[in-house]
Amino acid sequence: QVQLVESGGGLVQPGGSLTLSCTASGSIASLNVMGWYRRALGKEREMVAGLISDGTTKYTDFVQGRFTISRDNAKNTFYLQMNNLKPEDTALYYCNAETLMLDGSTYRAWGQGTQVTVSS
């Protein structure tokens, strides 16, 4: 199995920045597909950003130009750099990854979530 552990959430003022991290542990060969999602209070979970192993990224419209997804293969970790945060970015942020395991199988896992609150 794979465990994803997130960190980096917190309280920030509008216009501020935060970086979320998601570290995968287990018998992992590589991270194939990585993504960040969020769920605001009373709303459905939505995708924020995605990254696949060839470096292709995808962002939802409301974060385009403000958020950046990246990775550190050596650490089995990927990140979400969030700039110019807005109150409407307040949500519980989750990471998700499809991993290639050492035995050749694939496994998909979710992190536990980290709260981001944007407020003055």
Side-chain angles (χ1 to χ4, degrees):
Q1 287 190 349
V2 172
Q3 184 178 19
L4 300 182
V5 178
E6 300 155 357
S7 61
L11 173 64
V12 64
Q13 293 187 342
S17 298
L18 282 175
T19 300
L20 306 182
S21 300
C22 181
T23 299
S25 62
S27 300
I28 299 167
S30 63
L31 301 179
N32 287 349
V33 181
M34 295 146 276
W36 288 96
Y37 295 74
R38 70 186 187 188
R39 181 165 56 203
L41 192 63
K43 295 186 177 180
E44 297 291 320
R45 185 170 61 194
E46 58 188 0
M47 195 200 81
V48 175
L51 169 65
I52 60 176
S53 56
D54 68 357
T56 301
T57 58
K58 180 178 180 180
Y59 299 93
T60 194
D61 288 345
F62 49 80
V63 304
Q64 184 75 43
R66 299 189 296 126
F67 291 10
T68 303
I69 187 170
S70 62
R71 62 184 171 177
D72 184 332
N73 290 335
K75 297 181 179 179
N76 283 333
T77 298
F78 58 102
Y79 307 93
L80 185 67
Q81 172 69 42
M82 305 184 292
N83 297 326
N84 191 22
L85 282 160
K86 304 176 180 181
E88 51 265 41
D89 294 317
T90 295
L92 189 61
Y93 283 71
Y94 297 88
C95 64
N96 175 273
E98 178 190 280
T99 59
L100 176 64
M101 309 302 287
L102 292 174
D103 64 2
S105 64
T106 59
Y107 190 90
R108 197 168 192 100
W110 287 92
Q112 80 283 359
T114 186
Q115 179 67 36
V116 172
T117 302
V118 185
S119 175
S120 55

